[in-house]
Amino acid sequence: MKIGVLGATGPAGQAVAVQLAAIGETVLVGSRALERAEHTVGELLERWPGRRLDLLPGDNETAAEADVVVVATPWEGVLSTVSALEEKLAAKTVVSMANALTRWGGEMVPLLPPTGSVTAAVARVLPRSKVVGAFHHLPAGPWSDLDHPLDADVLVCSDHRDAARQVVDLVDRLPGLRGVDVGGLASALAIEALTPALLEVNRRYKTHAAIRLTGLP
Amino acid sequence: MKIGVLGATGPAGQAVAVQLAAIGETVLVGSRALERAEHTVGELLERWPGRRLDLLPGDNETAAEADVVVVATPWEGVLSTVSALEEKLAAKTVVSMANALTRWGGEMVPLLPPTGSVTAAVARVLPRSKVVGAFHHLPAGPWSDLDHPLDADVLVCSDHRDAARQVVDLVDRLPGLRGVDVGGLASALAIEALTPALLEVNRRYKTHAAIRLTGLP
C-alpha cells in the first residue's frame, strides 16, 4: 500500500510522512512544488540516517495517486487542494487533519466553517471519496521526532465505517498512538474545535498536551 | 464555604452534590421543588450510610445563596433557571456543566447555541457573576459512585481567572479527578461539543469513556 501526503512540506505533513514511513509504509511526499517536496525528503532522510524511510517526493497530483491520501495542507488551502484532485481521489480513503483556528484577542479559538468542520467541508467537495478525520491533536514538532513517541489517542471519525476502521488500524501501528473511533463526521466539529483549546492548555502549562481517553477496553 | 447545586435532583446534579459533600463541603441541594430536593438528599444519605455527607435540601433560591453555585439543570432549562437568580448569583462563582446535545439521525451531536456554548450563554445572562465551565465530560452514573473514583481530567474554562483557579483547585480535591485550565470562555464550545463525541465513543466501545491530557507537568 502507498500513502500519499498532500502538503507534506509543512510541520504537520512532515510529521505524518516520516511517522508512516518509519512503520514501513511507502509514502508519496506531495507538495504544490516538486522541488519543495524533494527538499523536504532530503531533510528528513538527513535527519534520520539510520532508518529505512521509503519517502518519495512528488507534486500533490502524484501523491494523490496513492491508495490512502492524507491532506496535511493548512486549513485555508485544504478545499482548493482537494477539489483540484477530486477525480484522482474518488473511491479512496482521504484523511483530513486540518484545524480551522486563529488567534483572536490573544486567545486561540476555533473558526467554524458553514459545514461545522473542515473534515465535513472536505467530504462535501469529495463526494466520491471516503473522507476520514484524524491526527488533529498531535503537536507537529514533538510528533516529528522518531526517537520519542508521543503518548496520545487519535480521535477518528467518518461516515464511511470501513475507512474509519482502516485509519484506526493504521494509527494503532504508529508508536505511542491509539486510534479511537468517535463515530460519524458530525464528531469532527468537536475534534477540530478541541485543538485550539489544547493550544490554550499548552500556553498556560508550557507543554505539548495530548489526549488519552480512559475507560476504553 | 457552602456550595449550591441548582437542579441537583437529576443524575449530573446528584453526582456533583454527593462528590462535593464526600470531600467535606457543605452542599445546598437545590431543586425547583423543595420536596424533590428532600427526596434526593434522603436517597443519597440512604445509599451512603457510612459517610458524613453534609447535604442540605432546599429550593434553587436557597441553593443560590451558597458561595459557589453549580448549575446542574439540563441545558434546556439552564438559562431560565439562572436568569431568575441573577441578583443572588452576582459576584459569585457560577459553574456551568450542561451540554447542549441531541440524538439526530441516530447519532449524538452537539447543538451550538448562538453564543457558541451553554457556558457563554450563562455568562451573558449573568454579567455580574464569575461564570466557569467545568464537569462536562464526567459520566453521571459512574461518577455518583463514591466507592469507585473516576480516572479523568476536568477541563475548566472561564474569562475570570481567579474563578477558574478556584474551580481547578476544587476539582483537584475530588478523588480521581484533575482540573485543567483550558483558558477563556471561548474554549467552552470545544469542551461542550466533545461530550456528544464521547457518547459516540461510549456507544461504539460499550464503555464510559473520560478524558486525560498527557504531557502536563
Side-chain angles (χ1 to χ4, degrees):
Chain A
M1 191 178 77
K2 286 177 183 168
I3 300 177
V5 181
L6 310 182
T9 58
Q14 287 191 31
V16 73
V18 78
Q19 288 287 347
L20 290 169
I23 59 167
E25 299 291 338
T26 297
V27 179
L28 306 184
V29 175
S31 172
R32 277 178 298 179
L34 172 60
E35 311 78 61
R36 293 189 57 215
E38 287 170 338
H39 182 71
T40 291
V41 168
E43 280 191 333
L44 289 173
L45 296 178
E46 195 177 339
R47 182 174 174 194
W48 305 107
R51 312 257 181 169
R52 285 192 47 168
L53 300 174
D54 202 2
L55 294 162
L56 307 175
D59 53 20
N60 282 337
E61 285 71 20
T62 311
E65 285 168 4
D67 309 287
V68 171
V69 177
V70 179
V71 187
T73 315
W75 73 271
E76 297 96 327
V78 163
L79 291 192
S80 55
T81 298
V82 297
S83 60
L85 302 167
E86 196 274 336
E87 183 79 32
K88 280 196 174 166
L89 296 173
K92 293 180 180 175
T93 296
V94 176
V95 180
S96 173
M97 60 186 294
N99 302 287
L101 49 80
T102 192
R103 184 175 297 282
W104 198 39
E107 290 178 301
M108 297 305 293
V109 298
L111 296 171
L112 266 65
T115 50
S117 67
V118 176
T119 312
V122 170
R124 188 161 163 262
V125 298
L126 300 180
R128 298 187 290 171
S129 304
K130 297 172 181 179
V131 174
V132 178
F135 301 126
H136 294 91
H137 304 143
L138 305 179
W143 195 32
S144 69
D145 183 352
L146 294 179
D147 285 339
H148 299 91
L150 296 180
D151 174 18
D153 283 344
V154 172
L155 306 188
V156 176
C157 66
S158 179
D159 288 343
H160 297 269
R161 303 315 306 156
D162 55 335
R165 278 188 291 272
Q166 180 187 26
V167 173
V168 166
D169 291 344
L170 183 63
V171 171
D172 282 343
R173 291 173 49 214
L174 293 167
L177 303 184
R178 175 178 63 170
V180 178
D181 183 358
V182 188
L185 268 194
S187 292
L189 185 157
I191 293 171
E192 295 177 14
L194 194 62
T195 305
L198 288 175
L199 295 174
E200 284 293 304
V201 171
N202 291 349
R203 185 159 66 93
R204 286 165 199 285
Y205 293 85
K206 303 188 194 316
T207 186
H208 290 288
I211 281 187
R212 280 283 188 202
L213 297 191
T214 58
L216 292 202
Chain B
M1 190 177 78
K2 286 178 183 167
I3 301 178
V5 181
L6 310 182
T9 57
Q14 288 193 30
V16 73
V18 78
Q19 288 288 346
L20 290 168
I23 59 167
E25 299 291 339
T26 297
V27 179
L28 307 183
V29 175
S31 172
R32 277 178 296 178
L34 172 60
E35 311 78 61
R36 292 189 57 214
E38 287 170 339
H39 182 72
T40 291
V41 168
E43 280 191 332
L44 289 173
L45 295 178
E46 195 177 339
R47 181 173 175 194
W48 306 106
R51 312 258 181 167
R52 287 193 45 168
L53 300 175
D54 202 1
L55 294 162
L56 306 176
D59 54 20
N60 282 336
E61 286 68 22
T62 311
E65 283 167 7
D67 309 288
V68 170
V69 178
V70 179
V71 188
T73 315
W75 74 272
E76 297 94 327
V78 164
L79 292 192
S80 55
T81 298
V82 297
S83 61
L85 302 166
E86 196 275 334
E87 183 80 31
K88 281 197 174 166
L89 296 173
K92 293 181 181 175
T93 296
V94 176
V95 180
S96 172
M97 60 185 294
N99 303 287
L101 50 78
T102 193
R103 184 175 297 282
W104 197 39
E107 290 178 301
M108 296 304 293
V109 298
L111 296 171
L112 266 65
T115 51
S117 66
V118 176
T119 312
V122 170
R124 186 161 164 263
V125 297
L126 300 180
R128 298 187 290 171
S129 304
K130 298 173 180 179
V131 175
V132 178
F135 301 125
H136 294 89
H137 303 142
L138 305 180
W143 195 33
S144 69
D145 183 353
L146 293 178
D147 286 338
H148 299 92
L150 296 181
D151 173 18
D153 284 345
V154 172
L155 306 188
V156 175
C157 66
S158 179
D159 287 346
H160 297 269
R161 304 313 307 156
D162 56 335
R165 277 187 292 272
Q166 180 187 24
V167 174
V168 165
D169 291 344
L170 184 63
V171 172
D172 283 342
R173 291 172 50 214
L174 294 168
L177 303 184
R178 176 178 64 171
V180 178
D181 183 358
V182 188
L185 268 195
S187 292
L189 185 157
I191 293 170
E192 295 178 15
L194 194 61
T195 304
L198 288 175
L199 295 176
E200 285 292 304
V201 170
N202 291 350
R203 186 159 65 93
R204 286 164 198 287
Y205 292 86
K206 303 188 194 316
T207 187
H208 290 288
I211 280 187
R212 281 283 189 204
L213 297 190
T214 59
L216 293 202

